Amino acid sequence: MPFKRTNPLALAVLALLSERPMHPYEMAQTMRERHQEEVIKLNYGSLYTVVESLHRHELITASATQKAGNRPERTVYAITDPGTTELHDWLRELIAVPATEYRRFEAGISLVGLMPPDDALAAVEQRSAGVDAQLTALAVLLERLAGMGLPQLAWIELDYRMAMLRAERAWLTWFATATRDGTVGGYSAWEDKHR
Amino acid sequence: MPFKRTNPLALAVLALLSERPMHPYEMAQTMRERHQEEVIKLNYGSLYTVVESLHRHELITASATQKAGNRPERTVYAITDPGTTELHDWLRELIAVPATEYRRFEAGISLVGLMPPDDALAAVEQRSAGVDAQLTALAVLLERLAGMGLPQLAWIELDYRMAMLRAERAWLTWFATATRDGTVGGYSAWEDKHR
DNA sequence: ACCGCTATATTCGGTGCCGAGTATTCGGGA
DNA sequence: TCCCGAATACTCGGCACCGAATATAGCGGT
């Protein structure tokens, strides 16, 4: 059966190996250094499973098994030509096709009617504060990265995330005021149910 | 070990049972009718696993095993008091605490430098069109729901989603023009690498 | 009366993901 | 010199998740 594009960690592996051959642990280190783990979930168990899967599908090859010093052997992998093709195709797909993502907040807010308006308001305000904190943290980080001379393309995903967070904050603010003022559609029924 | 709040489908189950007792298949039907499956991933295999897990943790009880007609027996479940508490706590957490979600598009765009600018531009424009289509589809749906007399609270999550999609479209438009004009930071190095 | 289609209701084997556990080496302080 | 903790490198069992398969019941048409 063909390779399935499920775990984005496999994409990260292909991307790293497109630079130079590496062994799995080194991939993890590199991802950490570059803060890639903030964007792609990294986890040792999954890393080795994913590498093995890529190997089975011949998208990468075991180029060498070194034994430096007396450490446990480590297998160094390299990307293959089919692997490079897969990398580019997958990348294009991820960018070009908006997939249906199930966000946890959407699940929560869709059931907000189950709690009393007061509690809901408090929860939303708490989230608002949390989003605010994330925004300032991101702004600081961007400042630092720009100060280090890194080009915008190197942290373009953070730029995107900031835009999304700002939009979320705006929506949360709207919802909070609409709840406080009782102007959200269906408010009276909502209030009545919880007393 | 305690119950883990991983699969939001379990939340949906608790929410449904907070209305009235049901058997699993009925939960699935109800979720479909209410379009909840657009927000919470529904899948038969997972549904039965999740129900079993909730049962093990005594958040729901098997209230009866009917055998209507000559159909296979079906187990009807009901929510317990601890289950109700769990429902409300979980709900509050989902709304109040912004969790780190790993979005597929962020993974893709963070590696956009790996493809040539022309290809990247085409991919982004394709996504833009896709997002546009989703937005108009959502607008039509909202129109219909409002026309049916449903209060805004009943489709509040779609309102949120529209806001997010609009923000994404704006960002995509910005990125597309910045790429076309070569004004995105680090453009020259990007172009140089791919020739 | 019989055929076949859809709806009802659940089971089950496979797979991928997870994170705690293991084993070794290296560097630094007393 | 010896010990301890951090870093290196990977392994493994468990479990949640998935979706295709199964089995029966009702219902409309000929």
Side-chain angles (χ1 to χ4, degrees), chain A residues 1 6-7 41 43 45-46 70-71:
Chain A
M1 57 191 139
T6 47
N7 197 341
K41 185 151 67 183
N43 152 325
S46 312
N70 217 359
R71 306 243 195 81

Side-chain angles (χ1 to χ4, degrees), chain B residues 121 124-125 128 132 166-180:
Chain B
L121 182 59
V124 166
E125 278 170 344
S128 219
D132 239 37
R166 276 201 212 96
E168 173 161 348
R169 186 177 54 178
W171 190 88
L172 291 171
T173 306
W174 165 78
F175 183 75
T177 48
T179 300
R180 209 167 332 171

Side-chain angles (χ1 to χ4, degrees), chain B residues 24-94:
Chain B
Y25 189 80
E26 195 183 355
M27 300 174 198
Q29 299 309 305
T30 316
M31 284 186 68
R32 293 249 149 92
E33 279 165 22
R34 300 185 187 172
H35 299 102
Q36 276 197 286
E37 48 163 356
E38 279 173 39
V39 176
I40 295 174
K41 185 151 67 185
L42 168 60
N43 154 325
Y44 284 102
S46 312
L47 178 59
Y48 284 86
T49 335
V50 145
V51 163
E52 196 202 319
S53 161
L54 287 170
H55 190 215
R56 264 207 321 277
H57 291 88
E58 299 180 9
L59 302 173
I60 62 178
T61 50
S63 73
T65 61
Q66 322 178 332
K67 202 176 173 178
N70 218 356
R71 305 241 196 83
E73 327 192 316
R74 26 182 227 186
T75 317
V76 175
Y77 294 91
I79 196 166
T80 64
D81 281 357
T84 308
T85 309
E86 178 66 17
L87 169 60
H88 289 112
D89 277 16
W90 193 357
L91 209 47
R92 183 183 337 279
E93 186 198 325
L94 278 181

